[in-house]
Amino acid sequence: MNIWTYIAKRLLLMLPTLFGVIAITFAVIQFVPGGPVEQALTELRRGATAGGEATGGGASQYRGRQGIDAERVAEIKALYGFDKPPLERFWQMLKGFATFDLGQSFYHHKDVWELVKSKLPVSISLGMWTFFLTYFISLPLGIAKAVREGSRFDAITSMVVLVGYSIPGFVLGVFLLVLFGGGSFVQWFPLRGLTSDDWETLSWFGKIKDYLWHITLPVTASVAGSFAVMTMLTKNTFLEEIRKQYVLTARAKGLSEKTVLYKHVFRNALIPLVTGFPAAFIGAFFAGSLLIETLFSLDGLGLLSYESVIRRDYPVVMGTLYLFTLIGLVVKLIGDLCYVWADPRVQFESLAR
C-alpha cells in the first residue's frame, strides 16, 4: 500500500467518525434542560413579574413558559430554529458544516466561525509558547538526565521536575499571581490580558516588551505540567535505547560516546517523541487552557467553549466540536505519517490494520 492509498483510506474513515461524534452530541443536546428557548422564556417571565422577583433554584428556572402565551412561545422557538423537527435541524447543520458554515451564536449574535477566529490569537499565543518551551527545554534536559543517570544532577532535576508535575497549572498560576502579580508581595507582572490598554500607542519594541510582560505568568503556569511529563519521557526513552545491544556493539567498535549518542541513539529515541509532535502541537492550542485563561482573564477558545456550554449556545458548542474533532482526526493521520517517516521499518499495511 503506497502513501496516497493509505491517506485516501484514512480520509474516508474520518467521515463516519466525524458523523458519529456530531450525531451523538446533537442527540444528547436534545435532552438537556435549560436551552435557549427556556432561558428566553424565563427572562420574559421575570420581566413580567411585578417587582422583578428572582427565581431561586434550577427547578424553577426551566418553567419559563408558564404565564407566556403560546404565540409568543412559538415566536421564540422560530427565532432559535427550534420550530423545526430535530432531524431537519440536524440535516441543515450537516449541510452547513460541509461548507464550513457553522451558524450564528445565540448569545453573541455573531457568526461562529468569525467568533472562533477572534479568539484564536489568545489560544495561539498561549499554545505556541507552551509547546516550544516544553520541547526546547525538556528534550535537552531529558537527554542530560539519561546520560547522567544516578548522578547528583539527575537526582536534583528529578526532584524539581516531579514537584512541578505534582502542582496543577491553575494552582501554580494562583501562586504566581499572589507572589508576582500584586497579591501579597510584589507586582512585577499584570493580572489580566495579553496587552495593556495603551498597546496601540506603543513603539514596535514597546509592543513586544508589553506582550512578553503579559504572557510570562500564564505560560509559566501552562508549561509546568507538560514540561515534567516530556522531560521524564525523554529520559526514559533514551535510557531504553542506551541499554540495547546495538549501543554496546558501537562502543565495542571504539566509537566515541558522543558519536554513539547522537548518531545511533538519538534518532531511535526520538521516534516516540516525533510521532507525538503533531498532537502535542495542536493540543497545546486547544486543550487544557480553560483554567489558565479564566485565571488570567484571557479571552480564548477554552473560555469560549466553557461559556457556550453553560449558556446553552448550541451553534458554538457544535461548531467548535466539529472543528476540534476534524483537527484531531487530521492530526492523528499526520502523527501516523510521522511514525513511518521516523521509522522506515514500519509499513503502511501495519498501520492500516
Side-chain angles (χ1 to χ4, degrees):
M1 183 186 301
N2 60 45
I3 182 173
W4 298 113
T5 303
Y6 174 76
I7 292 176
K9 187 174 182 179
R10 286 291 300 272
L11 290 176
L12 290 176
L13 289 174
M14 288 181 186
L15 296 179
T17 304
L18 189 61
F19 176 83
V21 171
I22 294 174
I24 292 174
T25 307
F26 183 85
V28 171
I29 283 177
Q30 306 311 305
F31 302 97
V32 176
V37 174
E38 286 81 358
Q39 292 183 10
L41 292 174
T42 300
E43 291 300 321
L44 285 176
R45 187 166 177 261
R46 286 176 178 174
T49 302
E53 182 179 357
T55 56
S60 61
Q61 187 172 358
Y62 302 132
R63 298 176 183 173
R65 69 180 61 188
Q66 293 182 357
I68 306 296
D69 60 274
E71 183 178 351
R72 184 59 172 161
V73 173
E75 290 179 359
I76 295 176
K77 283 186 175 181
L79 176 64
Y80 291 108
F82 283 89
D83 57 328
K84 301 174 183 176
L87 288 179
E88 183 178 348
R89 287 188 281 116
F90 181 68
W91 176 244
Q92 289 181 347
M93 184 184 66
L94 288 182
K95 290 194 296 185
F97 284 177
T99 58
F100 284 90
D101 179 9
L102 306 182
Q104 295 285 325
S105 167
F106 292 156
Y107 181 81
H108 298 277
H109 305 291
K110 294 181 180 179
D111 184 77
V112 175
W113 179 242
E114 295 297 326
L115 193 61
V116 169
K117 288 194 296 185
S118 68
K119 309 295 183 181
L120 274 177
V122 172
S123 296
I124 288 178
S125 294
L126 189 60
M128 180 184 67
W129 286 108
T130 299
F131 173 79
F132 285 111
L133 286 177
T134 298
Y135 266 82
F136 289 161
I137 297 176
S138 298
L139 290 184
L141 181 58
I143 295 173
K145 286 175 61 63
V147 173
R148 298 172 176 84
E149 185 195 16
S151 66
R152 180 178 298 179
F153 171 80
D154 183 34
I156 294 175
T157 53
S158 293
M159 182 178 64
V160 174
V161 166
L162 291 177
V163 169
Y165 178 72
S166 64
I167 301 176
F170 71 94
V171 175
L172 178 60
V174 172
F175 173 77
L176 293 174
L177 284 176
V178 171
L179 191 60
F180 301 113
S184 301
F185 296 90
V186 296
Q187 189 170 3
W188 291 348
F189 297 95
L191 296 175
R192 58 181 59 87
L194 282 183
T195 57
S196 301
D197 295 335
D198 60 343
W199 190 79
E200 294 293 339
T201 64
L202 298 176
S203 64
W204 181 79
F205 178 76
K207 289 181 178 180
I208 296 178
K209 182 180 177 181
D210 182 74
Y211 167 75
L212 294 177
W213 183 47
H214 281 76
I215 203 69
T216 298
L217 294 188
V219 168
T220 302
S222 298
V223 166
S226 55
F227 164 77
V229 172
M230 186 58 62
T231 299
M232 298 309 295
L233 177 62
T234 303
K235 175 191 174 181
N236 294 333
T237 304
F238 269 80
L239 279 178
E240 183 180 352
E241 291 296 324
I242 288 173
R243 293 166 180 168
K244 289 185 176 179
Q245 184 64 41
Y246 74 90
V247 176
L248 298 176
T249 303
R251 287 171 175 169
K253 290 180 179 181
L255 297 178
S256 66
E257 193 66 22
K258 185 176 181 180
T259 302
V260 172
L261 180 63
Y262 290 101
K263 187 175 180 180
H264 296 278
V265 175
F266 192 75
R267 179 173 181 177
N268 293 330
L270 282 182
I271 289 176
L273 303 177
V274 170
T275 54
F277 188 92
F281 185 75
I282 298 298
F285 296 141
F286 302 116
S289 60
L290 169 61
L291 294 175
I292 301 299
E293 289 181 7
T294 304
L295 182 62
F296 292 94
S297 300
L298 302 176
D299 192 12
L301 289 175
L303 191 58
L304 172 66
S305 301
Y306 172 75
E307 291 178 345
S308 300
V309 173
I310 297 300
R311 293 165 176 165
R312 306 296 195 270
D313 196 350
Y314 295 145
V316 178
V317 173
M318 297 301 300
T320 53
L321 174 70
Y322 168 71
L323 289 177
F324 295 166
T325 304
L326 183 62
I327 291 172
L329 292 172
V330 173
V331 166
K332 176 61 178 174
L333 172 60
I334 296 175
D336 289 343
L337 296 176
C338 288
Y339 194 86
V340 176
W341 169 77
D343 189 355
R345 296 171 296 178
V346 178
Q347 302 298 321
F348 287 108
E349 287 81 359
S350 61
L351 289 177
R353 291 171 186 169

